Amino acid sequence: MSDTNLVYAYAVLRRTPEAAAATARLRGVAGEPIHLIDPAVTSPPLAFAVGHVPPADYDDAPLRAHLDDLDRLEATVRSHHAVVAALVASGAAVLPLRLATVYRDEDTARQALDTRRGYFLSLLDRLTGHVELGVKIYAAPDITPPEADAEPPQDPLTGLGVGRAYQVIRRRRQRRNEEAWRAVTQAAARLTDTAGTLAVDRVTHTPERGSLAGTAPGTNIGNDAYLVPKDRVTAFRTGILTAAQGVPGLRVEITGPWAPYSFALQPEPHEETAA
């Protein structure tokens, strides 16, 4: 491998024979073989899972262009996730790194690993034995966010002209929608509380809108990630789905288990103000 190639880092993990064996079978975002690199301090054993990638694609300028190409971006995301998922499947506790974490060379990567060693180890301790589950909550397609200027119905229909009667009917439908929306959002809040009692942590993501929502029917009103002990995954799924049963207009989608992307590599305290 040429010394001019860059180092693409996928994850932080403890070096174990199982992790090393799993890494040796993997290929990365550029089809490159994956391997582990260790910092100067080797106890406890900590490593980056990395691959060497060409500067023509992964140096700063081409990388920005690469990430603006949606097809290439999707391929990169899939390849990045495949590496992380394989490491998780080996039984290792894994801290997934952000997409396109690239270092100039292995010495620079080792230095970064050494610099944040204590932080990485504390996160690994916290996340060992846990996975991420996603919970998306949807309101049925016929229940929509209320209009800001919606008015409650006040007029009887008797004795009204067609135009006026139509306006009254429209306002009544708006009110029924508002009531349904209120009931669904209150049920969603109760569901979120239930999920919180079954998980050890939660990260709230912005509800998906437009193209991000894909083809899922209805309005996404909740989009959260939960950190769940591996031995509690089934109980979490059962508890959430049971809590959602019988709520008109409410639909729940549970995804995962995943590597704990939403809980890995959160900013260190005072990191932004560090010299």
Side-chain angles (χ1 to χ4, degrees):
M1 185 69 66
S2 169
D3 290 339
T4 62
N5 277 283
L6 304 174
V7 174
Y8 186 115
Y10 294 85
V12 182
L13 67 162
R14 291 187 177 90
R15 176 184 277 277
T16 64
E18 294 77 14
T23 303
R25 298 190 294 268
L26 300 178
R27 293 292 182 270
V29 295
E32 82 284 7
I34 307 302
H35 63 285
L36 299 180
I37 61 172
D38 307 282
V41 180
T42 58
S43 181
L46 194 66
F48 268 153
V50 305
H52 287 263
V53 294
D57 289 326
Y58 290 93
D59 218 340
D60 289 344
L63 180 59
R64 285 194 295 271
H66 177 85
L67 296 180
D68 284 337
D69 181 331
L70 293 183
D71 290 337
R72 294 191 68 179
L73 175 60
E74 182 177 3
T76 300
V77 170
R78 290 182 182 277
S79 297
H80 183 107
H81 175 66
V83 171
V84 173
L87 293 172
V88 171
S90 75
V94 174
L95 300 179
L97 292 171
R98 294 183 181 90
L99 190 70
T101 298
V102 178
Y103 296 97
R104 184 58 51 189
D105 51 40
E106 289 197 359
D107 285 342
T108 305
R110 288 189 179 94
Q111 182 178 1
L113 195 54
D114 271 332
T115 299
R116 304 190 73 186
R117 180 179 183 79
Y119 177 59
F120 289 147
L121 287 170
S122 67
L123 274 177
L124 281 169
D125 287 342
R126 176 173 179 261
L127 299 181
T128 295
H130 295 76
V131 294
E132 177 174 327
L133 293 174
V135 177
K136 294 182 180 181
I137 305 174
Y138 295 88
D142 58 343
I143 302 174
T144 58
E147 298 177 16
D149 59 351
E151 300 176 13
Q154 298 174 347
D155 303 316
L157 287 176
T158 55
L160 296 179
V162 172
R164 184 61 177 162
Y166 174 79
Q167 292 176 3
V168 172
I169 291 169
R170 180 174 178 272
R171 285 198 295 268
R172 289 184 179 180
R173 286 175 174 167
Q174 288 175 341
R175 184 174 183 180
R176 284 197 295 269
N177 176 74
E178 289 173 7
E179 292 170 348
W181 179 263
R182 188 179 306 112
V184 166
T185 54
Q186 289 173 348
R190 292 193 298 271
L191 192 66
T192 299
D193 290 341
T194 298
T197 66
L198 298 169
V200 299
D201 202 357
R202 168 191 172 205
V203 171
T204 301
H205 297 301
T206 302
E208 296 175 341
R209 296 287 186 268
S211 60
L212 292 177
T215 59
T219 302
N220 183 207
I221 59 176
N223 181 22
D224 297 339
Y226 293 89
L227 187 64
V228 180
K230 288 181 180 178
D231 61 3
R232 209 185 295 169
V233 169
T234 300
F236 183 91
R237 290 181 181 277
T238 301
I240 298 304
L241 294 176
T242 299
Q245 284 180 349
V247 179
L250 189 74
R251 184 174 65 84
V252 175
E253 178 182 302
I254 302 175
T255 61
W258 312 107
Y261 286 97
S262 299
F263 303 90
L265 307 186
Q266 298 172 6
E268 290 183 281
H270 313 303
E271 183 180 39
E272 293 182 359
T273 60

